[in-house]
Amino acid sequence: EGVSQLALAPDGSRLYVTQGCNAGGVDPPWPCQSPSRVAIVDPATLAVTATVAAGEGVTAIAVSRDGTTLCTCDFLARTASLIDLPTLHTRTVELPSTCGGVALRPDGARAFVTLPGSWRTTFDTRVGAIDVTSGVLVATIPVHIEPLAIAMDPGGTRAFVTDGNANGANPAEVHIVDTVDNTRVGSILLRPPATVMPTALDISPDGAALYVVSEAVEYEANGARHHRTRLLAVDVATRSVRASLALQPRGVRVSAD
């Protein structure tokens, strides 16, 4: 069983780990024989204290700032799960498409899931907003092709969403979503149209900087093909890339300080 995502409780008392046959997020050609679950781990003892069923193919996970709600995103079943952590009671929310990433507002009232769709079905262009209290999908917000990763502004009023597959004539962008009005309010250009793909991002605790993993396939004059991934530092206020580091990461996290 693969392990794909981790989420740490805000007070550090619990670690939440997704497990399942589709934990890597790749749409498999075979039926999923091992349903996904979330393992709850005590970091002090490294012991699994509980497990919670979480659908077919969980690919993303987020925990609310108050530590009471866990939201997971199921790529295969096209659902999100809202898990009440004190009781481990789970509610399932049907989604209109496969989902890729999830983030919760700091107040825990709304969860936002990216809806990239799938090459096996239809690519999607939206972000879904879920009311946590009612467990209802209350809005879908158009952004651009295959939205993938999502990070919440520390103030909770904006979410930042990457294009999952901005290929060909499409530029690589981070889209800005108003999480109060559920609307797209702008975008940040990362790279001009090319074979590029922003895949992960995180935001600094003060909300001033985004750090974005941007994969790319670049071609030389002789036709040689190279994968050149960059870690981009983005100034949120000016919506501009301020630094580009020649690294090869798959994910990124900013420390709490």
Side-chain angles (χ1 to χ4, degrees):
E1 294 179 350
V3 171
S4 67
Q5 300 294 325
L6 308 174
L8 186 66
D11 64 0
S13 64
R14 290 293 182 270
L15 181 67
Y16 304 98
V17 184
T18 63
Q19 297 176 277
C21 69
N22 192 47
V26 178
D27 203 358
W30 60 87
C32 189
Q33 301 297 327
S34 178
S36 290
R37 63 177 181 251
V38 176
I40 302 175
V41 179
D42 183 336
T45 63
L46 302 183
V48 176
T49 60
T51 58
V52 185
E56 296 180 45
V58 171
T59 54
I61 186 172
V63 62
S64 62
R65 184 176 289 180
D66 63 4
T68 63
T69 303
L70 193 72
C71 184
T72 67
C73 180
D74 191 322
F75 181 85
L76 290 178
R78 302 187 184 188
T79 60
S81 293
L82 300 171
I83 301 171
D84 179 74
L85 291 173
T87 65
L88 300 185
H89 174 69
T90 301
R91 292 171 294 157
T92 301
V93 183
E94 298 292 331
L95 301 174
S97 179
T98 56
C99 56
V102 59
L104 284 156
R105 266 191 353 205
D107 62 8
R110 290 279 171 90
F112 291 83
V113 295
T114 61
L115 302 172
S118 167
W119 65 270
R120 298 186 69 193
T121 54
T122 304
F123 290 125
D124 209 329
T125 60
R126 296 172 291 174
V127 174
I130 299 170
D131 181 85
V132 172
T133 300
S134 65
V136 173
L137 182 72
V138 294
T140 56
I141 307 154
V143 285
H144 201 251
I145 186 170
E146 290 189 85
L148 186 63
I150 182 169
M152 186 66 60
D153 181 276
T157 60
R158 295 181 298 176
F160 298 88
V161 180
T162 65
D163 282 343
N165 194 7
N167 290 328
N170 297 307
E173 296 177 296
V174 169
H175 303 286
I176 305 169
V177 171
D178 185 313
T179 61
V180 178
D181 296 332
N182 296 328
T183 57
R184 176 184 173 276
V185 293
S187 62
I188 301 169
L189 179 66
L190 301 176
R191 290 182 174 183
T195 307
V196 293
M197 179 175 164
T199 52
L201 81 165
D202 199 15
I203 190 167
S204 61
D206 61 4
L210 286 172
Y211 298 90
V212 187
V213 177
S214 180
E215 296 186 24
V217 177
E218 299 177 359
Y219 296 88
E220 296 180 358
N222 62 6
R225 186 172 183 265
H226 300 279
H227 288 273
R228 291 194 173 103
T229 299
R230 311 286 292 188
L231 178 63
L232 306 177
V234 177
D235 184 279
V236 173
T238 62
R239 300 187 184 182
S240 60
V241 177
R242 70 183 191 192
S244 176
L245 306 179
L247 304 175
Q248 296 288 325
R250 291 289 292 178
V252 58
R253 285 292 183 270
V254 181
S255 63
D257 61 359

